[in-house]
């Protein structure tokens, strides 16, 4: 294949034409592990509320790659050298930042795999790809892991104002139709600068940053933490937990070969680290494995599993209530007894139909990483201090809510 053939163009509905900036990038995109992202929805069960939210993690990865390359050009134009090798490294790091996501990622992390975060899996996938491609991802891994000398490159991949967030807010807003999530990514990128090896924003960009923080907060309440989205996700979590419980009892369940492996065995982070084949097996899992199995389980003889799957597929979702404080334990017990009596269940089994969860909306957390503004006099000020918008200071504090989800009686 000639070099010219590797500079493919993707027609993206959000940004228009996206060009692959380096020849090697196409080799990574063409790899089966990356192609799997076409079969994993970016927003999981959100299409249950917003029917257009069917875009994939493949879409998002390409969009984030596009934004990183725009940011590189802006930073270079302001006198901060970024070598071609560094540009390729940060491009690969952002392209692969979500490669460790499983199908319905957060549901999977709470049910089938044992406390393994997708960021850990992404790093393992990158390390495995690095072996396959004879060390061509070494610099990308250093940038992704924040061990490279130029720290601002890591901030482009993972930080309060990274290209991941800029893309998913704009993209998720586009596909859901929730206009409150629209952010001025072009303006924000044009205002990027580097000061003492830290990513900063020129003072002229203050209003765009304010809008970004507000948009992120609104998208969490209106999309990511929407009551009905929570209901669907919690139902799927319990479906997978019940399936795992039955598998541990050696009860036969229909499932694809890839899903069977993770249902009938429990793997830890150490298992993944020590077994390359296990990582490859995980890479066979996608949304279709889960949905195909859920559909089959609607007729399973286990009432809890079949009831959850049938209601889930037919969108008879849990009723959800939100509260600023913990729900009363006695009230929860009363609800579980009602469900147990209606469906002739044990109290333990009724807990699959009445459950509590905690959610948190943290639009901007200056404790972990700051969005700093650089002023003409050279001073560096955090956005919460620089902004005259009181709301920005207010929404930098996390809001926690308690969730009660239960089957409709």
């Amino acid at each position: 294949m000639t070099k010219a053939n590797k500079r493919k163009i993707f027609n993206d509905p959000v940004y228009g034409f996206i060009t692959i900036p380096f020849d090697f990038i196409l080799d990574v995109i063409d790899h089966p592990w990356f192609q799997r992202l076409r079969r994993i929805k970016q927003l999981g069960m959100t299409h249950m509320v917003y029917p257009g939210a069917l875009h994939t993690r493949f879409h998002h990865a390409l969009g984030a790659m596009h934004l990183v390359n725009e940011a590189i050009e802006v930073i270079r134009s302001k006198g901060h050298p970024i070598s071609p090798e560094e540009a390729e490294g940060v491009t690969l790091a952002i392209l692969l930042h979500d490669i460790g996501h499983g199908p319905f990622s957060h549901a999977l992390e709470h049910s089938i795999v044992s406390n393994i975060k997708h960021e850990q899996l992404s790093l393992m996938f990158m390390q495995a790809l690095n072996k396959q491609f004879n060390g061509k991802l070494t610099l990308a891994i250093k940038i992704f892991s924040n061990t490279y000398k130029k720290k601002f490159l890591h901030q482009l991949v993972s930080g309060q104002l990274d290209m991941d967030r800029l893309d998913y807010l704009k993209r998720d807003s586009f596909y859901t139709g929730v206009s409150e999530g629209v952010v001025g990514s072009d303006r924000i990128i044009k205002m990027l600068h580097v000061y003492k090896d830290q990513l900063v924003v020129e003072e002229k960009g203050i209003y765009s940053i304010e809008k970004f923080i507000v948009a992120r907060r609104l998208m969490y309440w209106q999309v990511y933490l929407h009551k009905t989205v929570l209901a669907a996700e919690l139902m799927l979590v319990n479906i997978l937990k019940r399936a795992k419980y039955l598998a541990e009892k050696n009860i036969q369940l229909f499932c694809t070969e890839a899903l069977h492996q993770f249902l009938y065995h429990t793997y830890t982070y150490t298992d993944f680290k020590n077994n390359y084949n296990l990582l490859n097996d995980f890479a066979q899992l996608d949304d279709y494995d889960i949905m195909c199995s859920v559909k089959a389980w609607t007729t399973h003889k286990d009432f809890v599993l079949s009831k959850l799957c049938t209601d889930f597929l037919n969108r008879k979702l849990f009723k959800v209530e939100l509260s600023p404080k913990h729900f009363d334990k006695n009230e929860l017990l009363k609800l579980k007894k009602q469900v147990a009596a209606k469906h002739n269940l044990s109290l333990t089994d009724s807990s699959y139909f009445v459950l509590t969860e905690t959610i948190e909306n943290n639009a901007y957390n200056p404790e972990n990483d700051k969005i700093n503004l650089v002023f003409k006099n050279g001073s560096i000020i955090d956005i919460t201090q620089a902004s005259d918008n009181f709301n920005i200071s207010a929404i930098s504090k996390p809001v926690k809510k308690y969730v009660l989800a239960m089957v409709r009686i």
Side-chain angles (χ1 to χ4, degrees):
M1 185 180 285
T2 64
K3 286 188 176 182
N5 287 337
K6 288 199 172 188
R7 296 298 175 98
K8 298 288 186 182
I9 293 174
F10 291 91
N11 192 349
D12 181 72
V14 177
Y15 306 116
F17 290 111
I18 291 176
T19 304
I20 295 177
F22 302 96
D23 295 344
F24 176 55
I25 298 292
L26 185 62
D27 295 330
V28 174
I29 290 174
D30 284 342
H31 194 284
W33 291 352
F34 190 82
Q35 288 294 313
R36 178 185 72 108
L37 298 182
R38 291 181 183 270
R39 305 188 299 276
I40 297 179
K41 288 192 289 294
Q42 173 73 11
L43 290 181
M45 302 315 306
T46 306
H47 67 280
M48 291 276 200
V49 179
Y50 301 102
L54 293 167
H55 55 301
T56 66
R57 294 199 178 276
F58 184 89
H59 283 134
H60 166 57
L62 292 182
M65 176 193 75
H66 169 70
L67 294 184
V68 152
N69 279 280
E70 288 196 334
I72 288 168
E73 292 308 311
V74 167
I75 291 169
R76 279 173 170 166
S77 71
K78 295 178 181 179
H80 303 284
I82 298 174
S83 70
E85 293 75 21
E86 290 168 337
E88 184 180 64
V90 73
T91 301
L92 284 165
I94 195 72
L95 185 74
L96 296 171
H97 77 283
D98 272 352
I99 198 171
H101 269 292
F104 308 104
S105 180
H106 303 296
L108 201 78
E109 287 174 7
H110 288 91
S111 50
I112 291 182
V113 294
S114 183
N115 297 317
I116 304 172
K117 295 182 178 179
H118 74 267
E119 294 91 349
Q120 295 172 311
L121 287 170
S122 289
L123 180 58
M124 282 189 262
F125 274 118
M126 290 173 72
Q127 290 166 338
L129 286 169
N130 198 33
K131 290 179 182 176
Q132 292 182 30
F133 287 112
N134 300 314
K136 288 186 177 181
L137 284 90
T138 300
L139 182 54
I141 290 169
K142 288 180 180 179
I143 292 170
F144 183 82
S145 306
N146 201 21
T147 58
Y148 187 60
K149 59 184 179 182
K150 292 185 179 180
K151 301 301 182 183
F152 73 87
L153 292 176
H154 173 76
Q155 289 180 300
L156 288 171
V157 177
S158 179
Q160 291 283 353
L161 196 60
D162 58 38
M163 301 304 105
D164 172 30
R165 291 184 181 184
L166 278 183
D167 180 78
Y168 78 61
L169 283 175
K170 194 164 185 174
R171 187 168 301 277
D172 296 348
S173 172
F174 177 88
Y175 281 98
T176 58
V178 177
S179 60
E180 287 84 356
V182 175
V183 294
S185 57
D186 288 346
R187 171 73 174 169
I188 290 172
I189 289 172
K190 288 289 190 295
M191 293 296 106
L192 290 179
H193 215 307
V194 175
Y195 181 82
K196 292 185 177 178
D197 198 29
Q198 295 294 309
L199 205 62
V200 295
V201 180
E202 294 175 3
E203 63 175 303
K204 293 180 291 184
I206 186 169
Y207 302 120
S208 297
I209 301 302
E210 289 177 353
K211 174 70 166 58
F212 164 79
I213 294 172
V214 172
R216 189 161 185 261
R217 182 181 181 84
L218 292 175
M219 283 293 284
Y220 267 85
W221 287 136
Q222 290 186 238
V223 177
Y224 312 127
L225 299 177
H226 188 288
K227 285 170 62 172
T228 310
V229 173
L230 290 173
E233 289 181 348
L234 289 170
M235 285 187 83
L236 185 58
V237 167
N238 273 10
I239 286 169
L240 294 174
K241 280 183 177 178
R242 185 65 176 186
K244 183 75 172 174
Y245 166 79
L246 296 173
E248 287 171 349
K249 289 186 168 295
N250 247 353
I251 294 172
Q252 225 28 55
L253 293 166
F254 167 86
C255 49
T256 62
E257 188 176 340
L259 183 56
H260 186 280
Q261 171 143 355
F262 290 94
L263 272 182
Y264 285 85
H265 302 89
T266 299
Y267 297 110
T268 64
Y269 173 76
T270 304
D271 293 325
F272 276 92
K273 285 288 288 184
N274 296 336
N275 187 349
Y276 170 84
N277 290 328
L278 189 58
L279 195 65
N280 190 54
D281 292 339
F282 183 84
Q284 306 310 310
L285 278 173
D286 57 45
D287 287 4
Y288 298 101
D289 293 271
I290 304 297
M291 293 309 298
C292 164
S293 302
V294 168
K295 185 178 177 182
W297 295 340
T298 58
T299 58
H300 196 274
K301 63 182 180 181
D302 179 76
F303 174 80
V304 173
L305 184 63
S306 63
K307 168 73 172 167
L308 284 169
C309 290
T310 301
D311 286 356
F312 178 76
L313 279 183
N314 295 322
R315 204 182 177 279
K316 294 181 179 178
L317 304 176
F318 285 159
K319 179 183 178 182
V320 169
E321 292 181 24
L322 300 179
S323 170
K325 58 183 181 180
H326 285 285
F327 287 93
D328 182 72
K329 289 183 179 179
N330 293 326
E331 184 62 27
L332 291 174
L333 181 60
K334 181 182 175 183
L335 292 172
K336 288 180 182 179
K337 286 179 177 178
Q338 288 177 7
V339 171
K342 179 175 180 179
H343 296 293
N344 194 27
L345 298 171
S346 69
L347 205 56
T348 300
D349 284 350
S350 72
S351 65
Y352 283 94
F353 298 97
V354 181
L355 61 147
T356 56
E357 185 62 81
T358 306
I359 58 172
E360 189 171 290
N361 189 343
N362 198 353
Y364 174 60
N365 184 4
E367 296 295 319
N368 296 334
D369 185 25
K370 296 179 184 294
I371 298 178
N372 284 322
L373 296 167
V374 57
F375 288 80
K376 289 178 181 177
N377 62 6
S379 60
I380 303 293
I381 304 176
D382 175 72
I383 181 66
T384 53
Q385 274 80 54
S387 174
D388 57 7
N389 186 338
F390 173 74
N391 287 334
I392 299 302
S393 295
I395 66 178
S396 65
K397 299 170 185 175
V399 176
K400 183 181 286 187
K401 290 186 180 181
Y402 300 91
V403 180
L404 168 62
M406 65 173 291
V407 68
R408 296 177 188 273
I409 299 176

